[in-house]
């Protein structure tokens, strides 16, 4: 029996908005939020839909996972960010269907009409066909994931504090991180800093020298997307901090507290109380929903292949931006990376292009400006490649900090983050060392993705 659905047509707060073109934005991440900001005060009516009522600053999730900052420091309520604008309405819900012919979306069992649709639903984690690994190795894409990692690390240390067996104690002080990209390197460095320096002060029975963090990656260097010199500097710093680099290692199996890795010297088994996954990315399932409805193309990662104006063939009123799109209209024909910088530029340009089309004005073509890449590895140490300017150490950390504070959408969060960073540097104390959440809560939550199936 088909579910009954109701057509949703909410009266805007200002009656003058009712006759304006309706722009529906799905997703309040970097791309969607920037589009909404750019449309504030413009001759359009905007509806922002998200499964969460906040915008998450994903690049700093590793700091939540390691107790440097709290959840509220990296998440800002959408209604406070854009919902107070007269022409922007924020609705909580999950988009289930897209009717490209009727120009309607279905969410919360309701239909909502649009004149222009912007899909910016983002991405989640991919286990490359091995979703059974998720329970043993939580990813790090949303708050529940970061909470789960922090909960597992701190619970292991609490157990180790009460364990007389030195072998068991060393096991409990061990962590394996899979994936040598920015997230994996940042998480590894922060975990090592947490365990090596917090243990001696906060845990009386533990030896910080027994702490072990192993970073596994199939490549020949960490941060492969960056210049080899910066990759080498990052690898050297992590090793000097105590992180073991297992490069050229391809994960074969992950079980509870065990990872089997194939290396050039044969299979190697890593045993650790905590295993973290930062290796794969998968676009939101809305990409496939749109493909089924419109016939557009998605790539191997589920990203929608878009036109130069981020539309899909035959539907100029539908734009796909951020991590959900595959945009290869670049000078080297390589798709733009799923990072904050490209997402923000996409969101701003698409919003301006929609307004230009409504006003029958010409609009210059999208041109991405690459400001570079960076990764923080420890207190006062980061690597950065800013348009050819390659820096590491303290200068890199300063540039990293300024860039992240600039991208942070809320001024209040900028202030609290800066305060907590400086406090951590001065005292080496973590501000949010709380054990919260329920065991394996991350299994049933994956924003923007098809829910993983689990067995009980």
């Amino acid at each position: 029996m088909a579910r009954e659905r109701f057509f949703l047509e909410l009266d805007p707060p200002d009656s003058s908005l009712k006759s304006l073109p309706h722009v529906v934005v799905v997703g309040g991440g970097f791309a969607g939020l920037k589009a909404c900001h750019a449309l504030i005060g413009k001759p359009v009516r905007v509806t922002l839909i998200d499964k969460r009522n906040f915008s998450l600053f994903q690049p700093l999730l590793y700091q939540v996972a390691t107790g440097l900052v709290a959840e509220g420091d990296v998440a800002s309520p959408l209604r406070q960010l854009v919902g107070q604008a007269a022409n922007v309405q924020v609705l909580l819900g999950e988009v289930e269907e897209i009717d490209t012919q009727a120009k309607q979306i279905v969410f919360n069992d309701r239909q909502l009409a649009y004149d222009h649709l912007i899909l910016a639903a983002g991405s989640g984690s991919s286990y490359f066909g091995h979703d059974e690994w998720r329970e043993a190795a939580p990813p790090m894409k949303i708050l529940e994931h970061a909470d789960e990692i922090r909960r597992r690390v701190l619970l292991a240390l609490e157990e180790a504090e009460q364990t007389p067996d030195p072998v068991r104690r060393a096991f409990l002080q061990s962590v394996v991180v899979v994936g040598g990209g920015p997230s994996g390197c940042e998480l590894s460095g922060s975990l090592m800093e947490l365990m090596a320096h917090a243990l001696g002060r906060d845990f009386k029975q533990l030896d910080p020298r027994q702490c072990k963090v192993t970073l596994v990656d199939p490549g020949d260097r960490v941060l492969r997307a960056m210049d080899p010199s910066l990759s080498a500097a990052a690898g050297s710093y992590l090793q000097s901090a105590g992180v073991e680099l297992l490069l050229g290692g391809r994960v074969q199996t992950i079980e509870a507290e065990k990872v089997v890795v194939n290396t050039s010297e044969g299979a190697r088994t890593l045993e650790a109380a905590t295993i973290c996954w930062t290796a794969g990315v998968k676009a939101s399932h809305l990409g496939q929903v749109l493909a089924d409805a419109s016939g557009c193309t998605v790539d191997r990662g589920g990203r929608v292949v878009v036109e130069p104006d981020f539309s899909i063939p035959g539907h100029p009123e539908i734009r796909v931006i951020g991590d959900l799109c595959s945009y290869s209209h670049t000078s080297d024909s390589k798709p733009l990376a799923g990072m904050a910088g490209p997402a923000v530029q996409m969101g701003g340009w698409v919003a301006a292009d929609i307004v230009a089309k409504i006003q029958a004005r010409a609009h210059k073509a999208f041109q991405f400006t690459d400001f570079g890449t960076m990764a923080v590895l420890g207190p006062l140490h980061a690597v950065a490649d800013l348009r050819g300017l390659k820096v590491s150490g303290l200068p890199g950390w300063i540039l990293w900090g300024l860039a992240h504070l600039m991208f942070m959408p809320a001024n209040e969060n900028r202030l609290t983050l800066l305060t907590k960073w400086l406090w951590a540097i001065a005292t080496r104390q973590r501000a949010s060392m709380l054990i919260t959440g329920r065991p394996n809560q991350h299994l049933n939550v994956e924003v923007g993705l098809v829910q993983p199936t689990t067995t009980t």
Side-chain angles (χ1 to χ4, degrees), residues 18 23 32 44 54 88 90 97 114 125 160 211 225 252 307 324 341 378:
K18 195 164 187 177
V23 180
V44 295
F54 57 83
V88 179
V90 178
E97 299 177 20
Y114 61 83
S125 298
C211 294
Q252 295 302 301
E307 301 292 311
L324 186 55

Side-chain angles (χ1 to χ4, degrees), residues 52-129:
R52 298 297 179 92
N53 73 336
F54 57 83
S55 180
L56 176 64
F57 196 81
Q58 205 174 70
L60 294 183
L61 267 182
Y62 78 93
Q63 296 196 1
V64 177
T66 56
L68 266 173
V69 300
E71 290 90 337
D73 297 327
V74 299
S76 305
L78 290 170
R79 295 185 183 278
Q80 295 180 14
L81 293 174
V82 294
Q84 297 174 3
N87 68 324
V88 179
Q89 177 175 246
V90 178
L91 299 178
L92 185 68
E94 179 178 6
V95 174
E96 303 162 358
E97 299 177 20
I98 303 172
D99 188 335
T100 58
Q101 299 304 315
K103 295 186 179 180
Q104 295 176 359
I105 60 170
V106 175
F107 80 108
N108 295 349
D109 285 334
R110 295 178 173 89
Q111 295 167 291
L112 181 66
Y114 61 83
D115 297 300
H116 297 272
L117 177 62
I118 301 176
L119 294 180
S123 63
S125 298
S126 170
Y127 286 79
F128 307 115

Side-chain angles (χ1 to χ4, degrees), residues 406-433:
M406 179 182 68
F407 274 109
M408 180 63 62
N411 290 328
E412 177 185 357
N413 290 46
R414 292 190 183 102
L415 181 60
T416 57
L417 281 172
L418 181 59
T419 302
K420 289 183 177 182
W421 288 347
L422 295 177
W423 175 257
I425 291 169
T427 66
R428 282 190 161 171
Q429 291 183 358
R430 304 275 164 144
S432 302
M433 299 285 283

Side-chain angles (χ1 to χ4, degrees), residues 13 61 74 128 149 160 162 197 201 262 271 278 284 291 298 307 311 322 326 330 360 392 397 426:
L61 267 182
V74 299
F128 307 115
I149 292 172
Q162 305 176 41
H197 295 288
R201 178 179 58 247
N262 268 1
E271 295 185 350
T278 67
S284 162
V298 295
E307 301 292 311
S311 67
S326 176
T330 55
S392 60
W397 185 88

Side-chain angles (χ1 to χ4, degrees), residues 235-259:
S236 296
Y237 178 85
L238 289 173
Q239 288 178 309
S240 68
V243 177
E244 178 186 356
L245 302 183
L246 181 52
L247 301 177
R250 194 170 297 277
V251 173
Q252 295 302 301
T253 62
I254 298 179
E255 304 173 8
E257 303 177 340
K258 182 184 297 184
V259 182

